[in-house]
Amino acid sequence: MKKLYVFMTALLALFAINANAVRILYSENYEAGGVPATWTINGGTGAIASTEASNIFQFSLGTNNGRSAHDFWGPSIFEGTEAEYTLSFELRFDALGDNQFNGEVAVFADEGGSQMINGSLNGKQKDWNPYAVRQNCLFSLVQTNNADKKTEWMVNPTKNAEDALESSKIFIPKTGGNAATWYLVTLTVNTQSREVSYEIFNYDTQQAEVTGVKTMDEGASLYATGLYLMAARRNSVYSIDNMQVYLDIDYANQPVIALTGLKDTERTYMISFLEGETLYVKGTDGQEKKYEYDDVEEGNVFYTTSTSGQLSAWTKAGTMTSEVTTVDVVCEPVVLPNPTNAIVGATEGFAKTYQFTIDNSTVPLQPTIFMDFVFEGEGGQGSFTLDNQTSGAKVEVPGKGTLKITTKALGYASSTSSVVNDIEYEIKNDIDFQHMTGEALKEKGFEAIDDLNTVSMSGENAWTGRMRMYFSIGSDNYPVYGFTESADDYAATVKGYTDAGAKQDTPVYAFLDGRGYADLSTAEPIKRHLLVPSKLTEEAAKTMFAPLVLWNTAAEPAEGAALGDDVPAVKFNEGIGLICTGVKGDAQSGSIAVNNATLGFDGLTDDDLVVITKIDNYGGGSLHPQFAAGTDPATAKAEYKASHIGGVVSTVKGTETFQLYRIDTAINRILVLSAKNSTGIDNMNYNKVVSDHNAPVYNLNGVQVNPNALTKGIYVKQGKKFVVK
């Protein structure tokens, strides 16, 4: 386990520093909580994790394609510095990608911050373009792009004559779960000799595992401006701690004061300073104390008070005195915020699903805030309690009544709010994409195209290649679709898709599109239908699935282009739903040009709720019901197909837009709900904003933009903001 190294003390384990301290130019130790504003996350999640030793920064990819994060502190920290400086950070590989192997950790010296958002990887080493090959890369660890050697990381690799990466030094870190080891990466950069000396130190063994010197090319920048992390596809997790840039000179550094404890009116602060310095602390009671480095643990002083006022600290080293660090201490109970809520599900009547989100970013120490719910149904009907829920919790309210919410966290003052659930809805429109037949689609202008029935994982074939559209039947129901052997043989045959070595008491999956069949050729194909933009009239786009309006074919086309050339085709997977191809114009294949089709409605108001049900991840977002053992497979299949299998549900107001991601996501169902109202004037939409999908779209600078070419960002339509991710 990593020792309690907080703030700048980790470097002292390696260097025999003289009696005076080093000068810190930049540092991050995450003890105050919250991801520093210098970090940019280009996919995945960046968060502060608390351990027994300290707070650390973690970049977690999740089940996504490879994406990056970078920490850019910029060149200004080096103004007036000497010819040599040192950069160090602690690194741990908690998990490596399980599908691709193009991870990287790099220190860059680019003026504008990292420009590497993600990496291209098509299964060959030469296709991976890491930061390492860029001129301004000071140091890089690049994962060997080979499934058999994925634990090997090349140190400062270069490209050979075959355009493949190679390195004379290999670093093999201990990774994964409890085996993951903390390493200290230290770079000493001499801006005159243009040499970067590097060392990777193992905290467990207390030995350096890799050392060397990299000579930078003439013209390359030598001042480190940031750290770059590339997480390889699926489930990579990297941890970083104690990032620092410093000069090895005599200096009295300004101490750091971080709030580390809060309990009612009591506050605890950690004050950190370096070896060679003497710390002076003036408490909120006006008393001043002096601390020598050897008299405290790892250069950290803990100050606890229940008196409001100012807490000040400064250091001395020889004849030098640092600037004073001062914080205002307020010893009053911290009242937790109330959550915000949104309706994310509704049915005819009073029943709804609310999602509650609570923001802890402005709460000191950013505690995990829990919520307790008490629903008091009208006449006592449907009353319930639900305790200890966290942000993002979805609460199903069965009928009319009041839902009370109490927020709580140890040491903080609770708050109470309520939601009155008194609006009754009725179905206004029900667009059932999943159950539209090929005949019905043909009448609307769709044409049948080739079926999907392949094991290929390329593009849209992944709908069948991944084979995630399934139902399951109890495990004693053998044989299943041509399998005549035992449960163990069946599990071995489909190893990787059901639990290997499945026994009689575990479910066995019978898949609609292949897995569970003796031969894929006997599997049920996915029938597809296409409506190309040149045949999609403006009127049809508005009325075909009214009130939903398909992507905006009425937008002004580019000069010389025909109407619809800059929008993707409308595609259907029969039995699944509506899909955006992502390929512009009438072409059925090619490079993805539109990641998200923006959809909206005509004639709805803010009072209307639209429940959107999708299936994402090539079927991974479908509902997977399990039937009782002994159920006839044909019966199970029929029931499965008859039900709505979309498992990704969101709700928007009738005047809002939403996005449909290309290829791997399908709209399963659109349900429009309107509030029952007996007053005629409200039913006339009097003085209300009525949705117009063809209304112009503006960016935040007020510039009108093409709605069919929206990149990631925030836009405004009919006075409402919406986000394209």
Side-chain angles (χ1 to χ4, degrees), residues 466 468 490-501 509 511 515:
R466 292 174 187 259
R468 287 175 171 171
Y490 177 83
T493 305
V494 295
K495 185 178 181 181
Y497 306 101
T498 60
D499 293 333
Y509 300 113
F511 292 76
R515 190 154 293 111

Side-chain angles (χ1 to χ4, degrees), residues 279-299:
L279 176 70
Y280 295 82
V281 177
K282 185 177 181 179
T284 57
D285 56 3
Q287 296 187 22
E288 185 176 308
K289 290 187 178 181
K290 173 183 174 182
Y291 301 89
E292 299 295 340
Y293 185 87
D294 291 338
D295 294 335
V296 299
E297 183 179 355
E298 301 291 351

Side-chain angles (χ1 to χ4, degrees), residues 333-482:
V334 175
V335 180
L336 297 172
N338 291 318
T340 59
N341 70 83
I343 298 174
V344 296
T347 60
E348 194 169 23
F350 288 98
K352 300 178 190 66
T353 300
Y354 293 89
Q355 184 169 32
F356 291 87
T357 305
I358 189 160
D359 182 8
N360 69 351
S361 62
T362 60
V363 182
L365 298 182
Q366 298 182 342
T368 299
I369 302 176
F370 294 91
M371 295 176 286
D372 291 344
F373 297 92
V374 177
F375 179 66
E376 298 176 356
E378 187 175 65
Q381 296 295 314
S383 298
F384 65 85
T385 61
L386 185 64
D387 295 336
N388 299 322
Q389 302 299 299
T390 55
S391 183
K394 294 180 181 179
V395 180
E396 296 183 8
V397 176
K400 190 176 182 180
T402 300
L403 183 66
K404 294 182 179 179
I405 310 100
T406 301
T407 59
K408 62 183 183 181
L410 186 63
Y412 297 79
S414 298
S415 63
T416 302
S417 59
S418 62
V419 173
V420 179
N421 185 55
D422 60 354
I423 299 177
E424 183 178 8
Y425 284 97
E426 58 186 353
I427 296 176
K428 188 174 185 178
N429 303 94
D430 188 353
I431 311 172
D432 188 354
F433 291 123
Q434 179 191 333
H435 298 108
M436 289 182 181
T437 64
E439 291 75 12
L441 293 171
K442 184 176 181 180
E443 291 179 0
K444 294 180 180 293
F446 284 81
E447 297 180 3
I449 57 177
D450 57 298
D451 295 341
L452 289 176
N453 188 27
T454 173
V455 295
S456 171
M457 295 293 286
S458 174
E460 294 179 72
N461 289 321
W463 279 97
T464 53
R466 292 174 187 259
M467 299 180 183
R468 287 175 171 171
M469 306 290 294
Y470 64 84
F471 59 89
S472 57
I473 299 176
S475 60
D476 61 350
N477 185 40
Y478 294 100
V480 179
Y481 291 113

Side-chain angles (χ1 to χ4, degrees), residues 543-606:
T543 60
M544 183 179 296
F545 303 119
L548 179 73
V549 180
L550 297 179
W551 22 103
N552 196 345
T553 56
E556 190 67 28
E559 185 176 353
L563 184 68
D565 277 359
D566 60 351
V567 298
V570 184
K571 188 172 289 187
F572 253 84
N573 281 3
E574 192 172 341
I576 297 173
L578 177 73
I579 291 175
C580 168
T581 64
V583 179
K584 283 187 176 182
D586 289 0
Q588 294 187 34
S589 62
S591 299
I592 297 297
V594 181
N595 269 328
N596 289 280
T598 300
L599 291 92
F601 308 92
D602 272 353
L604 301 185
T605 74
D606 268 347

